[in-house]
Amino acid sequence: MSKNKYDISKYKEKHDVKSSVEPTGKKDTSKSQGRFSFQKHDAQNLHYDFRLELDGVLKSWSIPKGPSTDTRDKRLALRTEDHPLDYIHFEGIIPEGNYGAGTVLLWDKGTYDNMSKKDDEQSLKEAFSDGHFSIYLHGEKIKGGYAMTRINDKDEQWLLVKMDDEEADARRKPVNTETKSVKSGKDLSEME
Ligand code: MN
């Protein structure tokens, strides 16, 4: 059979097939589901607000200890109200007397891919409703696969866990060592 433009041998001529099939976990950007961010929020209690663009809103969780790159850590993530999309890159000071009064620092931002079974948005919405989904984050600080699992339906308590991939790193501790905003380059004390 003669070669045609769909023949795999044509593909092999143009691509380094060996490296492209390595299980890096990386996804091509056509599968990107949307954006995410982590906002470090110095309110009554310091926490990290995790925002995930899904279904036209920002699904949101408050994570007291922030995300970890260590696969052994299970980070408690308390579901909070959906936020409007334009909140995703917010950084600034919420005045006293307002809900969430305190300083919000845009700690990380990027896009994510759905890793749950199928790669379409509908399957991620279903996985989210079912209380377990996995996503691949392309942040400036936080990268790689993460699993989110709801452990308590009533209070919407979830756990954020780093998946074991090339971005896992037990020693990095980015929450402690990478404290500056990806927007302003300032840390909390410089903002306040
Ligand atoms: Mn908050």
Side-chain angles (χ1 to χ4, degrees):
M1 192 177 161
S2 63
K3 288 180 181 179
N4 64 46
K5 63 180 177 175
Y6 299 108
D7 194 319
I8 189 68
S9 64
K10 282 284 182 195
Y11 175 88
K12 286 178 179 174
E13 284 169 19
K14 294 176 185 167
H15 296 79
D16 182 352
V17 171
K18 184 175 180 299
S19 65
S20 69
V21 298
E22 281 170 351
T24 61
K26 287 196 170 63
K27 299 290 181 287
D28 72 65
T29 52
S30 64
K31 291 177 182 173
S32 177
Q33 299 294 311
R35 300 168 297 163
F36 79 93
S37 69
F38 286 102
Q39 287 158 328
K40 186 176 182 179
H41 189 182
D42 188 13
Q44 277 188 320
N45 299 297
L46 184 71
H47 59 273
Y48 292 75
D49 288 300
F50 181 33
R51 315 284 182 198
L52 193 69
E53 182 178 8
L54 181 66
D55 208 10
V57 297
L58 298 176
K59 301 297 182 189
S60 298
W61 292 263
S62 171
I63 304 180
K65 291 185 174 178
S68 176
T69 52
D70 185 343
T71 58
R72 297 167 300 183
D73 287 340
K74 295 177 171 63
R75 291 292 161 87
L76 183 65
L78 306 165
R79 178 95 187 274
T80 55
E81 69 278 14
D82 294 347
H83 276 55
L85 293 178
D86 60 3
Y87 202 82
I88 193 163
H89 296 155
F90 173 74
E91 175 169 285
I93 295 175
I94 303 173
E96 287 299 326
N98 294 276
Y99 179 74
T103 306
V104 177
L105 177 153
L106 185 62
W107 188 76
D108 200 14
K109 65 180 172 70
T111 60
Y112 73 92
D113 306 320
N114 176 18
M115 298 175 75
S116 312
K117 295 175 195 164
K118 289 175 283 179
D119 59 13
D120 57 291
E121 191 189 19
Q122 185 59 33
S123 79
L124 182 58
K125 282 194 261 183
E126 287 169 9
F128 168 78
S129 298
D130 291 345
H132 182 72
F133 61 91
S134 44
I135 49 180
Y136 197 99
L137 301 178
H138 303 277
E140 296 180 30
K141 294 172 182 163
I142 297 298
K143 302 171 193 291
Y146 279 82
M148 281 282 280
T149 305
R150 191 169 56 212
I151 55 169
N152 181 316
D153 290 356
K154 192 160 161 278
D155 295 336
E156 286 264 6
Q157 295 182 350
W158 294 62
L159 292 178
L160 174 67
V161 180
K162 180 76 195 78
M163 295 166 73
D164 192 7
D165 59 23
E166 74 283 1
E167 301 292 352
D169 186 343
R171 292 168 302 176
R172 201 175 131 216
K173 303 190 189 312
V175 162
N176 299 335
T177 60
E178 301 169 42
T179 57
K180 290 181 186 299
S181 162
V182 294
K183 189 171 186 175
S184 62
K186 295 177 178 176
D187 64 22
L188 268 182
S189 63
E190 290 169 319
M191 284 183 67
E192 286 168 351

